[in-house]
Amino acid sequence: MALSELSRSISGSVALITGAASGMGKATAELFAEQGAIVAATDVQEQELQSVVENITKAGYSAHSWVLDVSDPEAIQETIGAIANKLGGLDIVINNAGIGAGGPFDADDFETRWSRALDVMLSAHQRIIRAALPHLRNSMSPRIVNIASTEGLGATKYSTAYSTAKTGVIGLTRALAVELGSEGITVNCICPGPIRTGMTAGIPEADKQEYARRRIALKRYADPEEVAHMTLSLVLPAASFVTGVALPVDGGLTIKNA
């Protein structure tokens, strides 16, 4: 006899994951597929995306790929429609696609970096959610998770465009959690700290270790899978009373004073 009523399984759920060709998106796609989800993986990097999907399907799980530039509003509409039509709906949206956007505020190319950062990491999120909403409304456990950053909870020098976009993601998450809550659609976000991804690959290992020693309670950078597991926790059917949350996955970065 079961002692609980709420499911911790996403088996059979259709999950859209953007930026799935590498890093946290790749780890999330692999984890969700392993947990039984039907993964719709998107990215602008076609070859790398195809490799991720092939590895998932070779392992015996379900994944499909769509090349998508999330800064293209028309492509978003077309791709989400194609995903829902092919896979029979949409239950989970993971807005993970992102870019680096660092540089001085007074640099000549700041306006370009600013526009690109907001396009890819903020405007794309709302456009994807808007396109997915009719399908999420037909789901038994509709879940949205936006990937923000600890840069949305604080800021680092030369991160103005990036930090602004990620702060906006947190605001978008909270506003939509309130607006969509009466429909049972939960909207949450993850705020990763220092993670070993392509964006941090160029940082020398010695610098990573020194930063972790000074700033992170757990004294290390995280692997992408550690973020993916927290994302999974927010999309479970059992996570039905959690919405509007900005969850730091940062090894204690944001709570460490010294």
Side-chain angles (χ1 to χ4, degrees):
M1 181 181 70
L3 298 178
S4 59
E5 296 181 359
L6 299 175
S7 172
R8 295 184 59 82
S9 171
I10 60 169
S11 182
S13 297
V14 178
L16 164 64
I17 302 167
T18 68
S22 62
M24 293 180 291
K26 174 178 179 289
T28 304
E30 292 172 342
L31 177 62
F32 279 30
E34 190 175 53
Q35 294 297 310
I38 303 164
V39 171
T42 78
D43 205 292
V44 72
Q45 302 177 68
E46 183 172 5
Q47 187 172 351
E48 293 87 345
L49 178 65
Q50 192 58 41
S51 176
V52 170
V53 169
E54 286 177 0
N55 287 339
I56 290 173
T57 55
K58 284 178 182 177
Y61 304 112
S62 179
H64 307 264
S65 65
W66 279 267
V67 177
L68 174 63
D69 178 353
V70 296
S71 68
D72 183 339
E74 291 185 5
I76 287 172
Q77 289 286 343
E78 292 173 3
T79 301
I80 290 182
I83 289 169
N85 287 336
K86 180 171 182 176
L87 303 182
L90 191 56
D91 302 290
I92 298 167
V93 171
I94 310 297
N95 273 314
N96 170 79
I99 56 172
F105 179 67
D106 58 355
D108 291 341
D109 68 343
F110 180 78
E111 284 287 348
T112 300
R113 286 187 286 107
W114 172 270
S115 296
R116 181 69 175 160
L118 267 62
D119 247 7
V120 172
M121 294 185 288
L122 182 55
S123 293
H125 285 29
Q126 62 88 1
R127 289 169 180 154
I128 288 168
I129 293 168
R130 280 168 56 86
L133 201 51
H135 310 291
L136 292 172
R137 284 176 168 143
N138 291 324
S139 172
M140 295 296 292
S141 296
R143 302 283 183 265
I144 299 167
V145 177
N146 299 316
I147 304 301
S149 170
T150 51
E151 289 295 319
L153 301 171
T156 303
K157 189 177 182 180
Y158 301 135
S159 71
T160 300
Y162 187 86
S163 181
T164 299
K166 294 302 189 179
T167 302
V169 171
I170 295 172
L172 175 69
T173 297
R174 290 169 173 166
L176 288 180
V178 173
E179 184 164 346
L180 301 178
S182 62
E183 300 181 63
I185 301 172
T186 69
V187 190
N188 293 289
C189 71
I190 297 283
C191 296
I195 315 297
R196 292 184 178 276
T197 67
M199 286 189 190
T200 61
I203 302 173
E205 186 60 30
D207 291 349
K208 284 190 176 83
Q209 291 179 6
E210 175 60 18
Y211 181 84
R213 184 190 68 78
R214 291 187 300 106
R215 296 295 311 279
I216 304 169
L218 292 178
K219 308 298 183 186
R220 64 179 178 85
Y221 273 51
D223 291 323
E225 185 180 345
E226 294 178 283
V227 181
H229 276 280
M230 292 301 97
T231 304
L232 173 63
S233 71
L234 292 174
V235 304
L236 299 175
S240 50
F241 205 58
V242 180
T243 198
V245 167
L247 174 65
V249 183
D250 64 358
L253 172 71
T254 52
I255 54 87
K256 188 174 186 295
N257 289 330

